[in-house]
Amino acid sequence: MQVTRSEIRAHKRKIYISVLRFLLIIRKIHRYSKKGRSEKVRKLAEKNVEIFYRLGPTFIKFGQALSSRGDMFPQEYIDKMSELQDIVPPAPFEEIRKEIEEEYGRPLESVFEEFESEPIFSASLGQVHLAKLNGRRIVVKVLRPGIRRRVELDLGAIKSMKFLFKVLMGDEFYFMAQRMISTFERSIYDEMDYRKEARNLLEISGNLYSREKDLRIPGIYLDLVREKVLPMEYIPGIKITDVEKLKEKGFDLKSLASRVVEVFTTMVIKDNVFHADPHPGNIYVDEDGSLILYDFGMVGRLDKKTRRNLFLLYNALISKDPDMIIDAMIRLDALDPYADRYVIKKGIALALRSLEGQQVSEYEVRELVNFANRIFYEFPFRLPDNLALFIRMYVLMEGVALTLDPEFNMLATVGRILDSPGMRRELITSTLSSEFESIVSNYRAIMRIIPKLDDYLDMQSNYKREDKKIYDYMIPGSILVGSSILALSYPLISAVGFTLSALLFIYFYFK
Ligand SMILES: Nc1ncnc2c1ncn2[C@@H]1O[C@H](COP(=O)(O)OP(=O)(O)O)[C@@H](O)[C@H]1O
Ligand SMILES: [Mg+2]
């Protein structure tokens, strides 16, 4: 699409104004959320959603990315952002044709026997067309014409306004936003290269086909894969959240829900790469009840050590053992090893109780908050980069599972999955192979987690002298305990995501 200079300037102006409005909205949202005024937060979040829709593809994607940042925004905001639908009107067919012909260097008709001009799906980054190749029905994913330039322009405009993030939101939000934006940038560029998607798909289907039955992943026509065009086997199905149709076919919705969680959890624990985008549009169900997975644009990679530690965290959560949870979180780098173990343990125990739907008295919470306030100088929970995608995955999956089965319980389901012989074997092998390393790191962990109040006091006074700025953000430790309250109001947040992200969120809530 040809765009004139003045159109670009006008578009940039629109972005500048909108990003400013976005920041002002976020400021208000944080204020209202601190006062517990959920209704106001929801209204503002709605306004924000409208702004993003008006700004188009990059911002729709951006809003969806924000929806996984429970550590930056309150839950009401997150909920509204995850409602952002990635539906954008299709590009004119002539532009699509041009794009395809440029990629292959020959007329569309000489590549495909048939090509339907109306897409069956169109979203921010691409659209999907039915076509025919060697007498077979296929689908062709085509990148939206001009989208790369558009994303460049939009991201450039956002980045040029970074200073405003700092001025309006303060250093801490600014640093988080900076990281969030660069992660977003990386992932959106990955998604705009279908050669990468094809590689991910092949890698994941290789892993899954070696062990899963009842699962389908479209084959791809490798010779015809280009940066902007991805021809694939056509596998129609019923959308995983189309409860009516699934019921009509007589499928057992409860077992579909746990099957989804099983496939994705196994991927995280056993493989070095996982499909990180289990939203309803990417999971379908075949005639015979098999799951179909589409869309390998967003994947996550965890190393062996992290995977083993995640396994330990799952197990700890399932056995509801605060000590094990703390150890696993320290190993995952999600918890400061110097943090006072006693207080964290109490907080986690409270959180676990409320997760299970038990009553937690206000008195207990207040007592712990007071205590924590005296102990913690800094918020002890963190969200390491490699875990952010993983949490997002569980939040998405929980949404899907609850649509299928309103009584779905993530912890119990993951518990059943881990209890299978295959999974136990996996843990034993991975533990044995790294036994030595594990002994060493255990030893270190034990040495580190002994609460060192003296060190702390020293550290605090030193930092105060040297760099006051960092410690402007020293926090009441109350946060930790607050997570139990959070669990009361938002029991749907997935269990693992809960421990990591809800704790972070509550920090902002109280701050
Ligand atoms: N191989 C396929 N067979 C049948 N339908 C498909 C296939 N691939 C994608 N689709 C349809 O197109 C939609 C979008 O595809 P997807 O790969 O998720 O694109 P995007 O990356 O834009 O989200 C899917 O939700 C599904 O309905
Ligand atoms: Mg998709």
Side-chain angles (χ1 to χ4, degrees), residues 415-455:
R416 265 199 311 279
I417 296 166
L418 296 194
D419 214 18
S420 72
M423 279 294 208
R424 263 184 264 135
R425 214 170 21 247
E426 178 73 22
L427 179 66
I428 292 168
T429 352
S430 83
T431 309
L432 282 181
S433 70
S434 50
E435 197 181 356
F436 179 68
E437 169 216 2
S438 148
I439 290 170
V440 174
S441 69
N442 273 343
Y443 171 73
R444 283 213 198 100
I446 290 167
M447 294 314 285
R448 275 181 307 177
I449 53 183
I450 299 170
K452 292 179 178 170
L453 213 54
D454 282 353
D455 285 2

Side-chain angles (χ1 to χ4, degrees), residues 49-85:
V49 165
E50 270 166 43
I51 294 179
F52 283 175
Y53 271 130
R54 243 178 292 147
L55 289 174
T58 320
F59 286 84
I60 293 178
K61 282 281 194 191
F62 188 64
Q64 288 183 330
L66 293 185
S67 75
S68 61
R69 296 308 302 248
D71 55 335
M72 293 172 76
F73 305 100
Q75 191 62 32
E76 296 89 345
Y77 183 81
I78 299 281
D79 288 344
K80 277 278 165 270
M81 279 296 141
S82 40
E83 282 170 18
L84 262 174
Q85 292 286 322

